[in-house]
Amino acid sequence: MSDAAQPTAAEVRAAAEAVKTALDRHLAAVERRSGEDDPAVYEAFNELAAAAEAYDELLYDRYDEVTPFEIPGEDQLPPYTGPDEPSALSVLIRRDYAVAEPQRLRAHAQRIEAADDEETGEASGTVHGALGLLFGEFEPDEIASRHKEFGLEEGDSTLWVTVSDEPAEPGEWLEAPFEGADPQRVICRFDVSAVFDDDLDDEDDDDLDDALGRALAGTTDPDGDDDLDRDDDLDGDDDLEPLDADR
């Protein structure tokens, strides 16, 4: 960072004072809390986290120093405020894909048209038309399991299970299906993302090192076979299981 862009010492001092004030407010809210999920405590917690993060950034920019604070990420769920005995629930799913092989995608769309005795080259002639045919023919879960076959590359995905006081009226939310998602009514969520790959790759590397070490030492695997099943150990194409995030 250039000297011109650095915060002043006064700005860093002001940020430190803001942390002290937020800390006092958080303690006061905790002392006065009315229950386990008191919204005042949650609000004070967020204010303290924001103040600490701002101070940490300014401190680093000005003095190249950091604090010992670990600011919770946004992927953590806020305290649950829904009913103890919900009578209805909603499952919100988002899956992202990249169109990695447009020709493969259009080829599948042409086969769908041919099976329906329609002339190929109309809807299947464009990527958006081919996608419409694909999702009109197959269930989303089947597309998720066969995405490579359809020329798609899997991106991030998330699934939220939210509760409500009562079932929605027919057609009530169809115009804006995801507008009413309340993170404080999520009872569990499951996330899959490439950001988790590094941790999983490290674990796989450790397992691989152990297996190769046993092979070089001439030991047998736990199943009693003389040779290690190297295909299983070296197979890096297995689908990742969804990660169970905060509940």
Side-chain angles (χ1 to χ4, degrees), residues 89-92 159-163 185-190:
L89 62 89
S90 298
V91 179
L92 309 179
L159 181 152
W160 290 19
V161 180
T162 68
V163 300
R185 289 195 166 219
V186 175
I187 57 175
C188 60
R189 62 180 286 182
F190 305 91

Side-chain angles (χ1 to χ4, degrees), residues 174-196:
L174 292 179
E175 292 185 2
F178 306 112
E179 191 175 57
D182 184 356
Q184 290 186 281
R185 289 195 166 219
V186 175
I187 57 175
C188 60
R189 62 180 286 182
F190 305 91
D191 298 328
V192 176
S193 174
V195 300
F196 305 130

Side-chain angles (χ1 to χ4, degrees), residues 104-232:
R104 181 185 292 269
L105 172 65
R106 288 196 291 266
H108 271 280
Q110 289 171 1
R111 285 195 285 272
I112 294 172
E113 287 179 321
D116 293 337
D117 295 328
E118 298 180 6
E119 292 186 8
T120 60
E122 296 181 1
S124 63
T126 62
V127 170
H128 75 271
L131 287 171
L133 286 170
L134 185 70
F135 280 87
E137 180 72 13
F138 300 104
E139 294 290 335
D141 287 343
E142 185 172 0
I143 292 176
S145 65
R146 301 173 57 188
H147 62 276
K148 292 182 180 179
E149 178 184 340
F150 298 136
L152 303 177
E153 182 177 304
E154 199 171 37
D156 289 358
S157 67
T158 188
L159 181 152
W160 290 19
V161 180
T162 68
V163 300
S164 53
D165 297 316
E166 57 185 19
E169 294 294 330
E172 180 180 347
W173 47 257
L174 292 179
E175 292 185 2
F178 306 112
E179 191 175 57
D182 184 356
Q184 290 186 281
R185 289 195 166 219
V186 175
I187 57 175
C188 60
R189 62 180 286 182
F190 305 91
D191 298 328
V192 176
S193 174
V195 300
F196 305 130
D197 287 350
D198 291 340
D199 293 337
L200 293 175
D201 288 342
D202 290 341
E203 294 176 4
D204 291 342
D205 289 343
D206 291 340
D207 293 340
L208 181 58
D209 290 341
D210 291 341
L212 293 176
R214 289 197 304 270
L216 292 173
T219 58
T220 59
D221 65 8
D223 296 329
D225 295 332
D226 291 336
D227 296 325
L228 292 171
D229 190 348
R230 292 175 181 266
D231 289 340
D232 291 341

Side-chain angles (χ1 to χ4, degrees), residues 1-7 61:
M1 175 178 289
S2 65
D3 293 338
Q6 285 185 344
D61 291 343

